[in-house]
Amino acid sequence: MSSIHPQMQAVLQKSSTLIPTFSYSETPLPEIRKLYAEERKFWNSEGPRLPAVFDTQVKGPLGNIQIRIYHPDPENTLPALVYLHGGGFVVGSNDTHDRIMRELAFRSGCAVVGVEYSLSPEQKFPVAIEETLSVLKWLKHDLPRKDNPAFNLDPERLVLGGDSAGASLSMGAALSFKNNLSGLFLIYGWFGLRDSCSSRLFGGPEDGLSEENRAFYQDAYLRSPEDLSDPKMDILNAELQGLPSSCLIVSDMDPLLDDSKALAALLEKAGVPCELHLHQGVLHGFLHYSSMLDAAVTALNQGADFLRRVFVL
């Protein structure tokens, strides 16, 4: 088992100066969301600038869904990565994951569409999955291409992906949209394991994935324990045949590591081309820290390379 990388230690030290330490069980949810967003502001600063970043809305099952289109070359029609942010289904937004999406658009040359799905516990499983499908169907069938150059997207070339909770939501939605996707880009997601070696070894207050935090997220997101057996939640027991090529990004000190390892093995067993990139000495959520962490830059480049290959760019 590797030890934490010095760069990751430096990230943790910096993060500790950005917001005060708080407990998920003792802090009101609005304050948790405020602190999460505040901490992310530093990590979202700087990074690449794109010629077109456009916010708009898509009609969903419960109202309008906010989306943000990052277009690195609005003069040309580009394929798109539909990106679902992490945050345990409870926190996060397009703003908190802005730099990740900008980096992926800049490095890949593809457009990125960030989806601001409904958070829990206000809306529970499977609302966020249904909203993701609404966005995918809008891109596929109802994109108003002439209204704005940011809409210059190719509906026949879509990859679905995200980090953490966003990776779980991506898989839940992909099961109903598999024939219309060019690929899946899954970053340290939870795919249904109730217990695992990695969940026993890792996870603490420093990465927001202590056992207490994971229970908090699950209780907020699920309607009842029976939801854990739904194939859209229990991805490892779902029908995986027919899914598109997949790229998984993981860290070796993540309580969710074994979820990705198990999913990669099952995808390969189902005949789905799959690549898994393991990063040493970093924690869950490391992709945010590309301004200080070489592993995050490498992972962004791996994701960008995957997108270019599946889109044949």
Side-chain angles (χ1 to χ4, degrees), residues 29-90:
L29 183 53
E31 183 67 13
I32 291 174
R33 287 174 175 160
K34 180 180 176 181
L35 289 168
Y36 181 86
E38 183 63 30
E39 192 266 344
R40 288 289 180 257
K41 285 182 181 178
F42 172 80
W43 303 111
N44 281 309
S45 63
E46 301 181 351
R49 301 298 165 191
L50 300 173
V53 178
F54 182 69
D55 288 292
T56 188
Q57 294 180 331
V58 174
K59 186 177 180 181
L62 298 179
N64 289 332
I65 306 160
Q66 192 76 19
I67 67 168
R68 180 174 297 164
I69 302 172
Y70 299 80
H71 206 304
D73 184 11
E75 298 300 314
N76 290 300
T77 301
L78 297 183
L81 164 66
V82 179
Y83 193 90
L84 309 178
H85 67 80
F89 313 103
V90 172

Side-chain angles (χ1 to χ4, degrees), residues 10 19 73-74 97 111 126 138 147 191 222 227 277 279 294:
I19 59 170
D73 184 11
H97 287 63
W138 177 81
D147 289 6
F191 302 117
L222 300 178
D227 284 339
H277 300 283
H279 294 267
D294 291 343

Side-chain angles (χ1 to χ4, degrees), residues 33-253:
R33 287 174 175 160
K34 180 180 176 181
L35 289 168
Y36 181 86
E38 183 63 30
E39 192 266 344
R40 288 289 180 257
K41 285 182 181 178
F42 172 80
W43 303 111
N44 281 309
S45 63
E46 301 181 351
R49 301 298 165 191
L50 300 173
V53 178
F54 182 69
D55 288 292
T56 188
Q57 294 180 331
V58 174
K59 186 177 180 181
L62 298 179
N64 289 332
I65 306 160
Q66 192 76 19
I67 67 168
R68 180 174 297 164
I69 302 172
Y70 299 80
H71 206 304
D73 184 11
E75 298 300 314
N76 290 300
T77 301
L78 297 183
L81 164 66
V82 179
Y83 193 90
L84 309 178
H85 67 80
F89 313 103
V90 172
V91 301
S93 65
N94 286 334
D95 287 339
T96 63
H97 287 63
D98 175 71
R99 182 161 180 178
I100 290 176
M101 293 188 285
R102 281 190 285 123
E103 293 278 3
L104 288 168
F106 177 78
R107 293 169 186 271
S108 69
C110 306
V112 175
V113 180
V115 179
E116 202 152 296
Y117 54 85
S118 294
L119 298 177
S120 298
E122 292 89 340
Q123 300 297 338
K124 292 178 176 282
F125 171 86
V127 169
I129 293 173
E130 294 169 349
E131 291 178 333
T132 300
L133 287 169
S134 293
V135 173
L136 289 168
K137 291 171 183 175
W138 177 81
L139 287 166
K140 184 76 174 174
H141 302 295
D142 300 311
L143 189 64
R145 302 182 203 181
K146 294 181 180 179
D147 289 6
N148 189 301
F151 292 140
N152 208 356
L153 308 173
D154 183 351
E156 301 303 318
R157 293 191 292 170
L158 301 173
V159 164
L160 179 60
D163 64 286
S164 196
S168 174
L169 295 173
S170 294
M171 283 300 301
L175 295 170
S176 302
F177 209 72
K178 60 178 70 173
N179 294 329
N180 298 288
L181 294 172
S182 299
L184 287 164
F185 180 43
L186 308 168
I187 307 161
Y188 38 72
W190 176 44
F191 302 117
L193 286 181
R194 313 279 182 94
D195 193 10
S196 68
C197 181
S198 61
S199 69
R200 298 294 184 101
L201 289 173
F202 306 113
E206 67 278 355
D207 62 12
L209 275 184
S210 66
E211 187 174 351
E212 174 196 22
N213 290 351
R214 297 198 303 271
F216 172 83
Y217 296 141
Q218 184 172 299
D219 289 345
Y221 182 54
L222 300 178
R223 298 167 298 185
S224 72
E226 285 70 36
D227 284 339
L228 288 168
S229 300
D230 189 299
K232 295 186 294 295
M233 190 79 250
D234 187 10
I235 301 300
L236 301 177
N237 276 320
E239 178 59 62
L240 302 179
Q241 281 88 355
L243 286 169
S245 296
S246 302
C247 174
L248 281 69
I249 303 285
V250 296
S251 66
D252 70 334
M253 304 182 74

